[in-house]
Amino acid sequence: MEIPVIRSVFESNEKRAHKVREQLTKRGILTLNMISSPGAGKTTVLEHTLADLAKEFSIAVIEGDLQTDNDARRIAKSGVQVVQINTEGGCHLESSMIQNCFDNLTLDNLDILIIENVGNLVCPVEFDLGEDAKIALLSVTEGDDKPEKYPLLFQLAKVLLITKTDLLPYVDFSMDKAIHYATRNNPDLCTIPVSSTQNTGFDPWYAWIRKAVADKKHHTASPNLS
Amino acid sequence: MEIPVIRSVFESNEKRAHKVREQLTKRGILTLNMISSPGAGKTTVLEHTLADLAKEFSIAVIEGDLQTDNDARRIAKSGVQVVQINTEGGCHLESSMIQNCFDNLTLDNLDILIIENVGNLVCPVEFDLGEDAKIALLSVTEGDDKPEKYPLLFQLAKVLLITKTDLLPYVDFSMDKAIHYATRNNPDLCTIPVSSTQNTGFDPWYAWIRKAVADKKHHTASPNLS
């Protein structure tokens, strides 16, 4: 009798993510996977980013939510392409869901694809979506201990946006402590404090995006150099 | 050839939860399962609750975390029994983990067992731990749209503690909207705004606990009436 082998959900996701990454890379599209707790400010940061960069770059957004299309409707106001994924209660996005979005997205001449994952500091981290970079968000109201308590995201992310800095006077949050724990196993992590309410701190974020877009196009144009 | 049946993780969890509930109910122990996003204030609310009720009731705490025992050490300062569960990256607690804690907990004469789940608004909701009530927490900094976007917890909880109300002047949060979405599929949900920083709003929470402890003991003493 043969023993049935259940292919792991991770293995299946990795294979599909590889295909998604190939498709996006051959077109030179920088792809970002935004991950945070619910309410850390992903959609609001995205609204600011689109308002400031949508004339400079061609950007599309994939919105992940358990249900509702509230965030997709907010993003659509900026005029960029947006596709909603509803996970029907599922706690993370998977690469097959991204692949399925390509039927409804025009990838030609796109510079940047931004994926807003389901609000969850744990599960989405383990699922590669074919992105170039995971972008972590941590709001100062969540507490400076979170990078120590939920370490994997902060180990794997390339950027950490520390949000809601306008609330720093009213909460017990040490920027030094948060950055210490976020970077101790990821010294290259780029940490950027921002306030969407006060519209401050976004310039380093935009500079990071501009460089990442240029790097992506450079590698795509000269694949033998990479 | 027989087709192998993989028993679902949910089915296995339900059976164990039933046993946990039996053990706790025969001793008349009120059991609460606290669930929220990371940083909504579970541990701080718990510290306040223990400071105010630990002389009135015999309370034990089970702390769930991916790693670290930071929260368990905070809770231990209150003098109550505390057991740490580290999920090693896992996104929720399961009933078997609670069962395993009973080797390290004295259940005799215990009035209340409080389980602080892993910080996650999605996954822990689907795993019955044998509790009498799920206690949801939502901080005003997370946004009033979260009960609409992550509905299951708010449908299943018996109490919703709306935390960090001291920050209401600085954030865009409508208490009415949050309560509307939280209660529209759960009209019996008891919603209690609190501020741990200002130590306000806790009296209705303590009143709810006192009644729940009395109800639990009453049902245990007279099981034929239940």
Side-chain angles (χ1 to χ4, degrees):
Chain A
M1 182 187 150
E2 280 186 76
I3 298 170
V5 176
I6 310 294
R7 196 171 58 171
S8 91
V9 62
F10 291 116
E11 187 186 340
S12 160
N13 184 72
E14 289 298 315
K15 285 186 181 170
R16 191 65 64 100
H18 183 71
K19 287 186 185 172
V20 169
R21 185 171 283 112
E22 267 186 349
Q23 285 178 268
L24 294 165
T25 294
K26 80 177 177 200
R27 293 169 186 273
I29 301 170
L30 175 73
T31 303
L32 308 179
N33 180 4
M34 295 175 76
I35 302 177
S36 78
S37 300
K42 291 186 293 304
T43 312
T44 307
V45 162
L46 204 39
E47 287 175 318
H48 277 261
T49 304
L50 295 171
D52 290 330
L53 297 188
K55 286 184 182 157
E56 187 175 339
F57 299 111
S58 171
I59 306 176
V61 173
I62 295 176
E63 274 294 333
D65 276 303
L66 276 66
Q67 53 185 53
T68 83
D69 62 353
N70 297 359
D71 291 351
R73 283 188 281 113
R74 284 171 60 185
I75 295 303
K77 289 180 186 163
S78 70
V80 306
Q81 289 190 80
V82 56
V83 177
Q84 175 77 53
I85 300 173
N86 279 147
T87 61
E88 311 297 338
C91 56
H92 62 272
L93 298 182
E94 298 188 12
S95 53
S96 59
M97 302 173 185
I98 306 304
Q99 178 93 61
N100 292 342
C101 287
F102 291 168
D103 295 340
N104 297 299
L105 275 177
T106 304
L107 297 179
D108 293 340
N109 302 315
L110 201 63
D111 299 309
I112 305 172
L113 173 63
I114 303 180
I115 303 164
E116 183 180 339
N117 220 308
V118 171
N120 184 328
L121 209 47
V122 186
C123 312
V125 186
E126 303 204 52
F127 289 84
D128 182 4
L129 303 183
E131 72 271 3
D132 295 297
K134 294 187 206 308
I135 310 298
L137 284 84
L138 173 71
S139 68
V140 301
T141 59
E142 292 173 70
D144 50 28
D145 59 334
K146 296 305 171 290
E148 186 186 12
K149 291 185 64 188
Y150 301 84
L152 190 60
L153 173 61
F154 303 92
Q155 282 169 28
L156 299 182
K158 291 191 180 168
V159 176
L160 168 59
L161 295 166
I162 302 178
T163 61
K164 309 194 186 184
T165 54
D166 52 290
L167 296 176
L168 277 171
Y170 314 112
V171 296
D172 184 17
F173 182 93
S174 159
M175 194 63 79
D176 286 347
K177 186 177 166 191
I179 292 175
H180 166 73
Y181 282 117
T183 58
R184 66 176 174 169
N185 293 310
N186 185 4
D188 296 330
L189 179 68
C190 178
T191 57
I192 304 174
V194 298
S195 164
S196 294
T197 302
Q198 297 182 335
N199 196 17
T200 54
F202 284 90
D203 285 344
W205 166 231
Y206 299 155
W208 185 91
I209 291 177
R210 287 187 184 103
K211 181 170 187 311
V213 169
D215 285 351
K216 184 82 183 185
K217 290 197 190 300
H218 177 71
H219 280 284
T220 304
S222 317
N224 294 333
L225 298 178
S226 68
Chain B
M1 182 186 151
E2 280 186 77
I3 297 169
V5 176
I6 310 294
R7 196 171 59 171
S8 91
V9 62
F10 290 116
E11 187 186 339
S12 159
N13 184 72
E14 289 299 314
K15 285 186 179 170
R16 191 66 63 101
H18 183 72
K19 287 186 185 171
V20 169
R21 185 171 282 112
E22 268 186 349
Q23 284 178 272
L24 294 166
T25 294
K26 81 178 178 199
R27 294 170 185 272
I29 301 170
L30 175 72
T31 303
L32 308 178
N33 180 4
M34 296 176 76
I35 301 178
S36 78
S37 300
K42 291 185 296 302
T43 312
T44 307
V45 162
L46 204 40
E47 287 175 319
H48 277 261
T49 305
L50 295 171
D52 289 330
L53 297 187
K55 285 185 182 157
E56 188 174 339
F57 299 111
S58 171
I59 306 176
V61 173
I62 295 176
E63 274 294 333
D65 276 302
L66 275 67
Q67 51 186 56
T68 82
D69 62 353
N70 297 359
D71 290 352
R73 282 187 282 113
R74 284 170 60 184
I75 295 303
K77 288 179 186 163
S78 70
V80 306
Q81 289 189 82
V82 56
V83 177
Q84 175 77 52
I85 300 174
N86 280 147
T87 62
E88 311 297 339
C91 55
H92 61 271
L93 297 181
E94 299 188 13
S95 53
S96 59
M97 301 172 186
I98 306 303
Q99 178 93 62
N100 292 342
C101 288
F102 291 169
D103 295 339
N104 297 300
L105 276 176
T106 304
L107 298 178
D108 293 340
N109 302 315
L110 202 62
D111 299 309
I112 306 172
L113 173 61
I114 304 180
I115 302 164
E116 182 180 339
N117 219 309
V118 171
N120 184 330
L121 209 47
V122 186
C123 312
V125 186
E126 303 203 53
F127 289 83
D128 181 3
L129 303 183
E131 72 270 5
D132 294 296
K134 294 187 205 311
I135 310 299
L137 285 84
L138 173 71
S139 68
V140 302
T141 59
E142 291 174 71
D144 49 28
D145 59 334
K146 297 305 171 291
E148 186 186 13
K149 292 186 64 189
Y150 301 84
L152 190 60
L153 173 60
F154 303 93
Q155 283 170 28
L156 299 181
K158 292 191 179 168
V159 176
L160 168 59
L161 296 166
I162 301 179
T163 60
K164 308 194 188 186
T165 54
D166 51 289
L167 296 176
L168 278 171
Y170 315 112
V171 296
D172 183 18
F173 183 93
S174 158
M175 195 62 81
D176 286 348
K177 186 176 167 192
I179 291 175
H180 167 73
Y181 282 117
T183 58
R184 67 174 173 170
N185 293 311
N186 185 4
D188 296 330
L189 179 68
C190 178
T191 57
I192 304 173
V194 298
S195 164
S196 293
T197 302
Q198 296 182 333
N199 197 16
T200 54
F202 283 89
D203 284 345
W205 166 231
Y206 299 155
W208 185 92
I209 290 177
R210 286 187 185 102
K211 181 171 187 313
V213 169
D215 286 351
K216 183 82 184 186
K217 291 197 189 300
H218 177 72
H219 281 283
T220 305
S222 315
N224 294 334
L225 297 178
S226 68

